[in-house]
Amino acid sequence: ILNPDKFQFAEDSVDWAGVRLTADKVEPLPEHVQAIRDYPAPRNITDMRSYFALVSQVAHFYSTQPELQPFRDLLKKTTAFYWDGVLQRLFEESKNRIADMVLEGITRFQVGKWTALMTDC
């Protein structure tokens, strides 16, 4: 049984799995990029883990490891969480670089090749 709220047929663009698919490009959903840019400074390890999860969900097509590297030690249980001006500057820079990478688009998509979506319905 098809769910009419989820069924789309003959659309010019389709939002799926965090991206917008059109006839000539694949681009990230703007609200996902904005969520990275607007993410507040972490106050504890839980906030930092949430930021890593957000980035990995939105930027899964990109190598974000260099941008996240300065914060990896903060995820260790043996490290006391701290936040200072240097980390704040690095955090703001990382958010902007990651958001910019995502906005540049998904480069693995090739317009001239067939694209198929496989769903679980």
Side-chain angles (χ1 to χ4, degrees):
I1 298 175
L2 296 174
N3 181 341
D5 294 334
K6 293 184 177 182
F7 184 74
Q8 296 179 357
F9 183 73
E11 297 286 333
D12 291 333
S13 71
V14 176
D15 293 349
W16 178 76
V19 295
R20 181 165 290 140
L21 304 162
T22 67
D24 60 348
K25 65 183 170 182
V26 175
E27 61 187 4
L29 294 176
E31 57 268 24
H32 291 181
V33 177
Q34 198 59 44
I36 292 174
R37 289 197 195 277
D38 292 344
Y39 199 87
R43 295 168 293 165
N44 52 47
I45 191 170
T46 302
D47 290 350
M48 194 80 254
R49 286 179 180 153
S50 295
Y51 177 65
F52 270 66
L54 171 66
V55 168
S56 67
Q57 181 181 4
V58 174
H60 52 276
F61 292 108
Y62 308 94
S63 175
T64 57
Q65 186 173 1
E67 281 72 27
L68 297 176
Q69 188 60 42
F71 314 108
R72 292 217 178 265
D73 284 343
L74 298 174
L75 298 177
K76 295 178 182 175
K77 291 181 182 180
T78 57
T79 303
F81 187 86
Y82 67 95
W83 199 256
D84 60 16
V86 173
L87 285 173
Q88 181 63 35
R89 180 182 54 79
L90 291 171
F91 183 67
E92 293 300 326
E93 289 172 3
S94 77
K95 291 193 307 181
N96 288 325
R97 278 196 304 266
I98 291 168
D100 289 346
M101 281 192 301
V102 173
L103 279 175
E104 286 175 10
I106 299 168
T107 58
R108 293 186 180 119
F109 177 71
Q110 296 177 10
V111 175
K113 295 197 174 195
W114 284 93
T115 300
L117 299 179
M118 299 180 73
T119 65
D120 61 352
C121 34

Short mmCIF file of all heavy atoms in Angstrom, two decimals, residues 84-107:
data_model
loop_
_atom_site.label_atom_id
_atom_site.label_comp_id
_atom_site.label_asym_id
_atom_site.label_seq_id
_atom_site.Cartn_x
_atom_site.Cartn_y
_atom_site.Cartn_z
N ASP A 84 37.53 27.22 25.34
CA ASP A 84 38.23 28.50 25.47
C ASP A 84 38.13 29.27 24.16
O ASP A 84 37.48 28.83 23.20
CB ASP A 84 39.69 28.29 25.90
CG ASP A 84 40.50 27.46 24.91
OD1 ASP A 84 40.07 27.28 23.76
OD2 ASP A 84 41.58 26.98 25.31
N GLY A 85 38.77 30.42 24.11
CA GLY A 85 38.71 31.27 22.93
C GLY A 85 39.29 30.63 21.69
O GLY A 85 38.79 30.82 20.58
N VAL A 86 40.36 29.86 21.86
CA VAL A 86 40.98 29.17 20.72
C VAL A 86 40.01 28.15 20.14
O VAL A 86 39.82 28.08 18.92
CB VAL A 86 42.31 28.51 21.13
CG1 VAL A 86 42.87 27.65 20.01
CG2 VAL A 86 43.33 29.56 21.57
N LEU A 87 39.40 27.35 21.01
CA LEU A 87 38.44 26.36 20.52
C LEU A 87 37.22 27.03 19.89
O LEU A 87 36.69 26.53 18.89
CB LEU A 87 38.00 25.43 21.66
CG LEU A 87 39.04 24.39 22.08
CD1 LEU A 87 38.56 23.64 23.31
CD2 LEU A 87 39.33 23.42 20.95
N GLN A 88 36.80 28.15 20.44
CA GLN A 88 35.65 28.86 19.87
C GLN A 88 35.97 29.33 18.45
O GLN A 88 35.16 29.17 17.54
CB GLN A 88 35.25 30.04 20.75
CG GLN A 88 34.06 30.81 20.24
CD GLN A 88 32.79 29.99 20.19
OE1 GLN A 88 32.55 29.12 21.03
NE2 GLN A 88 31.94 30.24 19.19
N ARG A 89 37.16 29.88 18.26
CA ARG A 89 37.57 30.34 16.92
C ARG A 89 37.64 29.15 15.95
O ARG A 89 37.12 29.23 14.84
CB ARG A 89 38.93 31.05 17.00
CG ARG A 89 39.41 31.56 15.64
CD ARG A 89 40.78 32.22 15.73
NE ARG A 89 41.80 31.39 16.36
CZ ARG A 89 42.46 30.39 15.75
NH1 ARG A 89 42.19 30.10 14.49
NH2 ARG A 89 43.38 29.70 16.39
N LEU A 90 38.26 28.05 16.38
CA LEU A 90 38.34 26.86 15.54
C LEU A 90 36.96 26.29 15.23
O LEU A 90 36.71 25.84 14.11
CB LEU A 90 39.20 25.79 16.22
CG LEU A 90 40.69 26.10 16.33
CD1 LEU A 90 41.38 25.07 17.23
CD2 LEU A 90 41.34 26.15 14.96
N PHE A 91 36.07 26.36 16.20
CA PHE A 91 34.71 25.86 16.01
C PHE A 91 33.97 26.68 14.95
O PHE A 91 33.34 26.13 14.04
CB PHE A 91 33.97 25.90 17.35
CG PHE A 91 32.57 25.36 17.30
CD1 PHE A 91 32.34 24.01 17.07
CD2 PHE A 91 31.49 26.19 17.51
CE1 PHE A 91 31.05 23.50 17.04
CE2 PHE A 91 30.20 25.69 17.49
CZ PHE A 91 29.98 24.35 17.25
N GLU A 92 34.05 28.00 15.06
CA GLU A 92 33.39 28.86 14.07
C GLU A 92 33.97 28.63 12.68
O GLU A 92 33.23 28.56 11.70
CB GLU A 92 33.52 30.34 14.47
CG GLU A 92 32.77 30.71 15.74
CD GLU A 92 31.27 30.48 15.64
OE1 GLU A 92 30.69 30.65 14.55
OE2 GLU A 92 30.68 30.13 16.68
N GLU A 93 35.29 28.51 12.59
CA GLU A 93 35.93 28.25 11.30
C GLU A 93 35.50 26.89 10.74
O GLU A 93 35.22 26.78 9.54
CB GLU A 93 37.45 28.29 11.44
CG GLU A 93 38.00 29.68 11.68
CD GLU A 93 39.50 29.68 12.01
OE1 GLU A 93 40.12 28.58 12.01
OE2 GLU A 93 40.04 30.76 12.29
N SER A 94 35.43 25.88 11.61
CA SER A 94 35.05 24.55 11.13
C SER A 94 33.60 24.54 10.63
O SER A 94 33.31 23.93 9.60
CB SER A 94 35.25 23.49 12.21
OG SER A 94 34.23 23.52 13.18
N LYS A 95 32.70 25.22 11.34
CA LYS A 95 31.31 25.26 10.90
C LYS A 95 31.21 25.89 9.51
O LYS A 95 30.51 25.37 8.64
CB LYS A 95 30.45 26.07 11.88
CG LYS A 95 30.25 25.42 13.21
CD LYS A 95 29.17 26.08 14.04
CE LYS A 95 29.32 27.56 14.20
NZ LYS A 95 28.25 28.14 15.03
N ASN A 96 31.91 26.99 9.31
CA ASN A 96 31.85 27.67 8.01
C ASN A 96 32.47 26.84 6.90
O ASN A 96 31.92 26.76 5.80
CB ASN A 96 32.49 29.05 8.10
CG ASN A 96 31.65 30.01 8.90
OD1 ASN A 96 30.43 29.96 8.86
ND2 ASN A 96 32.30 30.88 9.65
N ARG A 97 33.62 26.21 7.17
CA ARG A 97 34.26 25.38 6.13
C ARG A 97 33.39 24.18 5.77
O ARG A 97 33.22 23.85 4.59
CB ARG A 97 35.64 24.93 6.59
CG ARG A 97 36.71 25.99 6.38
CD ARG A 97 38.11 25.40 6.46
NE ARG A 97 38.36 24.69 7.71
CZ ARG A 97 38.91 25.22 8.79
NH1 ARG A 97 39.28 26.48 8.80
NH2 ARG A 97 39.12 24.49 9.86
N ILE A 98 32.82 23.53 6.78
CA ILE A 98 31.98 22.36 6.51
C ILE A 98 30.72 22.78 5.74
O ILE A 98 30.35 22.15 4.75
CB ILE A 98 31.62 21.63 7.82
CG1 ILE A 98 32.87 20.96 8.40
CG2 ILE A 98 30.51 20.61 7.59
CD1 ILE A 98 32.72 20.47 9.82
N ALA A 99 30.08 23.86 6.17
CA ALA A 99 28.88 24.34 5.46
C ALA A 99 29.22 24.72 4.02
O ALA A 99 28.46 24.40 3.10
CB ALA A 99 28.27 25.52 6.20
N ASP A 100 30.36 25.36 3.81
CA ASP A 100 30.77 25.73 2.46
C ASP A 100 31.02 24.50 1.60
O ASP A 100 30.64 24.46 0.42
CB ASP A 100 32.02 26.62 2.48
CG ASP A 100 31.73 28.01 3.02
OD1 ASP A 100 30.54 28.39 3.11
OD2 ASP A 100 32.70 28.72 3.37
N MET A 101 31.66 23.47 2.18
CA MET A 101 31.90 22.23 1.42
C MET A 101 30.58 21.60 1.00
O MET A 101 30.42 21.15 -0.14
CB MET A 101 32.68 21.23 2.27
CG MET A 101 34.15 21.48 2.34
SD MET A 101 35.06 20.09 3.06
CE MET A 101 34.32 19.91 4.66
N VAL A 102 29.63 21.58 1.91
CA VAL A 102 28.33 20.98 1.60
C VAL A 102 27.62 21.79 0.53
O VAL A 102 27.02 21.24 -0.40
CB VAL A 102 27.48 20.85 2.88
CG1 VAL A 102 26.08 20.40 2.56
CG2 VAL A 102 28.14 19.89 3.86
N LEU A 103 27.71 23.12 0.62
CA LEU A 103 27.06 23.98 -0.38
C LEU A 103 27.66 23.85 -1.78
O LEU A 103 26.98 24.09 -2.77
CB LEU A 103 27.12 25.44 0.06
CG LEU A 103 26.07 25.87 1.06
CD1 LEU A 103 26.32 27.30 1.51
CD2 LEU A 103 24.68 25.72 0.49
N GLU A 104 28.93 23.48 -1.85
CA GLU A 104 29.56 23.31 -3.16
C GLU A 104 28.91 22.19 -3.95
O GLU A 104 29.05 22.10 -5.16
CB GLU A 104 31.06 23.05 -3.00
CG GLU A 104 31.82 24.28 -2.61
CD GLU A 104 33.28 23.99 -2.34
OE1 GLU A 104 33.75 22.87 -2.65
OE2 GLU A 104 33.97 24.88 -1.84
N GLY A 105 28.22 21.34 -3.26
CA GLY A 105 27.47 20.30 -3.94
C GLY A 105 28.14 18.95 -3.88
O GLY A 105 29.28 18.81 -3.46
N ILE A 106 27.40 18.00 -4.27
CA ILE A 106 27.88 16.62 -4.28
C ILE A 106 28.54 16.37 -5.62
O ILE A 106 27.89 16.34 -6.65
CB ILE A 106 26.71 15.66 -4.02
CG1 ILE A 106 26.11 15.97 -2.65
CG2 ILE A 106 27.15 14.22 -4.13
CD1 ILE A 106 24.80 15.31 -2.39
N THR A 107 29.84 16.22 -5.60
CA THR A 107 30.60 16.14 -6.84
C THR A 107 30.60 14.75 -7.46
O THR A 107 31.03 14.60 -8.59
CB THR A 107 32.05 16.58 -6.59
OG1 THR A 107 32.61 15.74 -5.58
CG2 THR A 107 32.11 18.03 -6.14
#
